[in-house]
Amino acid sequence: TTKEHVRQQIGQWINNGDPLSSLSKSLEITFGKKRAELIASTEVTRSFAEANHQAYKDSNVVKKIEWRTAKDELVCPICGPLSGKKSDINTGFDKYGIPPAHPRCRCWIVPVIETK
């Protein structure tokens, strides 16, 4: 039930184009303010990363992906070393697969297009 509630709220948030704070607010009833903010940021990162990953796979053009970070002072010790690393699209990055690697992860993947 909780998982479905989060899924529905994220779907509505994406369709509405509202700021992330509105998603957090809609999750507060179920989780409380702090946890709602954590879940909103983490699950939005996960949703977009998974959708992009699937689109890259479906293209049959993209064979590798690259891990990207914000490259600022907030990049964590988990994600910092992954920044700029390339991986096979089917295996992902070590034990993390694709972002998010942890709660509040701000990372994303981009396609690597190799030309011959």
Side-chain angles (χ1 to χ4, degrees), residues 37-57:
E37 290 171 353
L38 172 79
I39 290 168
S41 66
T42 304
E43 294 310 317
V44 165
T45 297
R46 183 182 325 283
S47 295
F48 279 99
E50 287 179 1
N52 285 332
H53 189 233
Q54 190 61 53
Y56 301 155
K57 280 181 165 181

Side-chain angles (χ1 to χ4, degrees), residues 3-4 7 26 28 53 58 61 68 70 72 74-76 79 84 89 93-94 103 108 114:
K3 188 176 185 178
E4 186 55 33
R7 185 177 296 133
S26 71
E28 275 184 35
H53 189 233
D58 290 349
V61 172
R68 295 275 178 96
D72 62 15
L74 299 176
V75 174
C76 73
C79 297
I89 194 156
F93 299 87
D94 301 325
W108 66 98
E114 295 179 337

